[in-house]
């Protein structure tokens, strides 16, 4: 039994680091978003939009290709069918936000026209808030719920 606990700690202890790095990336993205949203359009706006897009795409990619996989693996290893079912529903919500974020990125990679940036940023903010809610819930049901089992 002690061996199983050690194995679980080895297996899942690193997930905290992955999640922590990812959440730090989220914070960095939010800082960029807020700075862009609060500033008036000027000569540096395009550069700030590009920086936000880069961080946002990195964040979205890390979620899809690193974090979510680890969370689902943890749910499967702990045979938490209820959490996996809820996570599947959360993925649906997250996918919609991914599409919007990538469309935003594509739009502003291809144009210097910033006429609609304020409206697009407002919608992006709503989309990101929805995404964060779903991601936080996924962390709660697939990781935090098992943290006491990983001693």
């Amino acid at each position: 039994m002690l061996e199983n606990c050690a194995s679980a700690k080895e297996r899942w202890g690193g997930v905290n680091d992955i999640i922590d790095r990812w959440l730090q990336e989220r914070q960095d993205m939010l800082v960029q978003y807020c700075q862009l949203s609060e500033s008036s359009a000027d000569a540096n706006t395009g550069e700030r939009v590009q920086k936000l897009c880069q961080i946002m795409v990195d964040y979205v990619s890390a979620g899809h290709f690193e974090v979510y996989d680890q969370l689902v693996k943890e749910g499967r290893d702990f045979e938490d069918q209820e959490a996996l079912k809820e996570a599947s529903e959360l993925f649906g919500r997250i996918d919609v936000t991914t599409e919007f974020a990538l469309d935003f990125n594509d739009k502003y990679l291809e144009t210097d026209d910033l006429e609609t940036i304020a409206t697009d940023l407002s919608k992006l903010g709503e989309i990101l808030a929805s995404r964060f809610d779903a991601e936080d819930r996924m962390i709660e049901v697939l990781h935090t719920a098992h943290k006491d089992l990983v001693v």
Side-chain angles (χ1 to χ4, degrees):
M1 185 163 164
L2 182 59
E3 191 173 287
N4 287 344
C5 288
S7 175
K9 184 170 185 169
E10 287 171 12
R11 182 181 299 165
W12 300 115
V15 175
N16 287 330
D17 293 336
I18 291 168
I19 292 170
D20 288 346
R21 271 194 324 265
W22 184 56
L23 293 176
Q24 180 60 51
E25 216 173 352
R26 178 196 288 184
Q27 184 176 348
D28 295 344
M29 179 180 59
L30 283 172
V31 167
Q32 290 301 316
Y33 173 85
C34 290
Q35 288 175 350
L36 185 59
S37 295
E38 294 170 355
S39 66
S40 303
D42 61 22
N44 295 325
T45 300
E47 186 178 310
R48 289 193 308 268
V49 170
Q50 294 298 311
K51 189 170 183 180
L52 170 64
C53 286
Q54 180 181 5
I55 292 171
M56 182 173 60
V57 169
D58 289 348
Y59 175 80
V60 167
S61 296
H64 282 282
F65 298 113
E66 186 176 6
V67 178
Y68 305 155
D69 289 342
Q70 287 296 320
L71 293 172
V72 168
K73 185 173 183 344
E74 186 173 347
R76 285 185 184 135
D77 285 355
F78 283 100
E79 299 176 359
D80 193 340
Q81 297 307 314
E82 190 175 313
L84 290 168
K85 181 180 178 197
E86 185 175 350
S88 178
E89 295 167 8
L90 292 167
F91 280 130
R93 288 178 41 199
I94 290 170
D95 282 344
V96 171
T97 68
T98 298
E99 288 179 36
F100 186 89
L102 294 177
D103 287 347
F104 180 96
N105 178 66
D106 292 346
K107 177 180 180 177
Y108 288 102
L109 278 179
E110 296 175 6
T111 184
D112 292 333
D113 181 5
L114 301 175
E115 188 172 312
T116 60
I117 190 69
T119 303
D120 291 344
L121 280 171
S122 177
K123 181 66 177 170
L124 179 63
E126 293 172 19
I127 292 293
L128 290 175
S130 171
R131 179 187 193 92
F132 299 158
D133 287 345
E135 290 172 342
D136 290 348
R137 180 67 186 152
M138 193 178 314
I139 291 168
E140 178 67 30
V141 300
L142 290 173
H143 179 67
T144 307
H146 307 123
K147 73 178 181 182
D148 292 338
L149 301 174
V150 183
V151 181

